[in-house]
Amino acid sequence: MSDAVLALKGIVKTYNKGQANQITVLDELDLELKAGQLVALEAPSGSGKSTLLHIAGLLDTADAGTVHVGGALADGSDRLRTGLRRASLGFVYQFHHLLPEFSALENVMLPQLAAGVGRTVADEWSRHLLGEVGLSERVSHRPAELSGGEQQRVAFCRAVANRPKVLLADEPTGNLDPGTSDTVFQALLGLVRSQNMAALVATHNPELAARMDRRARLEMGRISWLS
């Protein structure tokens, strides 16, 4: 193994569209990410971007190939895959999916409490993360009391609350206006850098993609590096 914290090797994923019609979405795909590396994933619609993110995030399985997270092979065991997903992977989506009945602070604390972290430690760490993204004065606000950009920043903090090795983000600024998108991206960038995570960020925004360490394009089932 290399020093990659996320390594996909020879990934194949095929969908059946009727008895004689198979579509290969991912075709012997290889991808590696190292700690502290922020990679933009650019992909045309229908190219398999979500499938790739789901396989990388151990939410789906490939028909062939291997996925290593933090050096550990994610085999077919549901228990192992669930353990790796909880311990080593963070997820951010286009829509924040915050729990509306809880405050920003509580939303960030919840995954830590579920992982067995003590309430005092979870409270302190959550306040620290929210402070890093400029939300120190908003910790007690519920999602409905926050702007779209603030909600997404809370979602970022929740995603990294358990100190994952890898962050996977699917169009995390896709529903925001350009100015808010820039602010939110800066927050994401700061969290990734401060926690030394690897991050794979799917985006259709070429300006944001250009600000990441590398740009990868998914097309015809494989990854090509643009920078």
Side-chain angles (χ1 to χ4, degrees):
M1 276 296 293
S2 69
D3 58 350
V5 293
L6 176 67
L8 284 70
K9 182 68 176 177
I11 297 296
V12 176
K13 186 68 175 181
T14 301
Y15 292 104
N16 293 318
K17 301 290 185 180
Q19 289 185 337
N21 186 14
Q22 287 191 334
I23 297 176
T24 300
V25 179
L26 304 177
D27 185 13
E28 297 286 338
L29 179 143
D30 297 332
L31 177 65
E32 289 190 356
L33 273 70
K34 297 181 180 180
Q37 186 178 48
L38 188 64
V39 174
L41 176 64
E42 302 175 42
S45 297
S47 62
K49 173 201 67 177
S50 294
T51 298
L52 170 57
L53 289 172
H54 288 166
I55 290 174
L58 307 183
L59 298 170
D60 194 3
T61 56
D63 298 322
T66 59
V67 179
H68 286 79
V69 180
L73 173 64
D75 61 18
S77 163
D78 286 340
R79 171 177 283 187
L80 174 62
R81 293 171 64 85
T82 299
L84 283 173
R85 190 163 58 243
R86 287 177 176 171
S88 300
L89 295 165
F91 301 89
V92 179
Y93 302 99
Q94 182 172 350
F95 300 99
H96 55 78
H97 299 300
L98 298 175
L99 296 176
E101 66 271 29
F102 294 105
S103 69
L105 180 66
E106 291 166 336
N107 266 279
V108 181
M109 288 177 64
L110 283 171
Q112 300 172 73
L113 298 176
V117 176
R119 180 169 291 274
T120 299
V121 173
D123 181 288
E124 292 177 352
W125 181 236
S126 299
R127 289 178 187 275
H128 170 77
L129 290 173
L130 289 166
E132 282 201 12
V133 299
L135 294 178
S136 293
E137 305 301 319
R138 309 289 277 170
V139 296
S140 63
H141 290 68
R142 294 185 179 181
E145 301 171 305
L146 302 172
S147 70
E150 289 172 336
Q151 291 170 352
Q152 196 66 323
R153 280 182 275 168
V154 175
F156 290 166
C157 293
R158 181 183 59 186
V160 305
N162 283 332
R163 297 176 172 86
K165 295 180 175 66
V166 181
L167 181 69
L168 301 169
D170 192 357
E171 297 289 347
T173 64
N175 65 324
L176 304 174
D177 63 77
T180 304
S181 176
D182 183 72
T183 300
V184 168
F185 178 76
Q186 282 299 121
L188 173 64
L189 182 63
L191 286 175
V192 169
R193 299 295 190 218
S194 67
Q195 303 303 312
N196 197 37
M197 290 180 289
L200 182 63
V201 182
T203 181
H204 283 105
N205 187 325
E207 293 182 0
L208 293 186
R211 292 162 61 185
M212 300 189 211
D213 299 323
R214 299 196 70 186
R215 295 167 57 209
R217 183 169 180 83
L218 173 62
E219 200 164 27
M220 302 298 292
R222 296 189 178 187
I223 290 289
S224 58
W225 292 99
L226 305 178
S227 64

